[in-house]
Amino acid sequence: MTVTYANSLALLKAHLADYQPQLERAIAALHVLQTADPTAEAFSDALAELHVAATILEPYSQSMVEAINQYTEDLPDD
């Protein structure tokens, strides 16, 4: 059980490491969208960046849910 838990924790950390940079890109794009003039190039660039980030995050999100489920199933009993 401990080995399985350690493996599922390592897998969860790996998914988080992949997910976090994309999530940070999406959040940064959202900040630009909230502050930029909608007619500005920065707004269009941020919108495109958010679209790319969201497209990339979708499959990562599915993997994250699977990793979280596996991690919680493998948690050792107290």
Side-chain angles (χ1 to χ4, degrees):
M1 183 67 134
T2 303
V3 172
T4 303
Y5 168 73
N7 289 342
S8 64
L9 180 59
L11 182 62
L12 180 57
K13 287 180 179 181
H15 283 294
L16 283 170
D18 289 341
Y19 192 82
Q20 186 174 354
Q22 298 302 324
L23 185 57
E24 289 171 354
R25 288 175 61 190
I27 291 169
L30 285 173
H31 287 293
V32 172
L33 291 175
Q34 292 171 338
T35 58
D37 178 349
T39 61
E41 187 175 337
F43 188 90
S44 296
D45 291 346
L47 197 56
E49 180 67 28
L50 182 60
H51 185 271
V52 169
T55 301
I56 293 170
L57 282 170
E58 185 176 3
Y60 278 122
S61 294
Q62 294 169 356
S63 296
M64 283 291 298
V65 169
E66 291 172 13
I68 291 166
N69 289 341
Q70 187 63 50
Y71 174 74
T72 54
E73 288 175 14
D74 294 340
L75 279 172
D77 295 329
D78 289 334

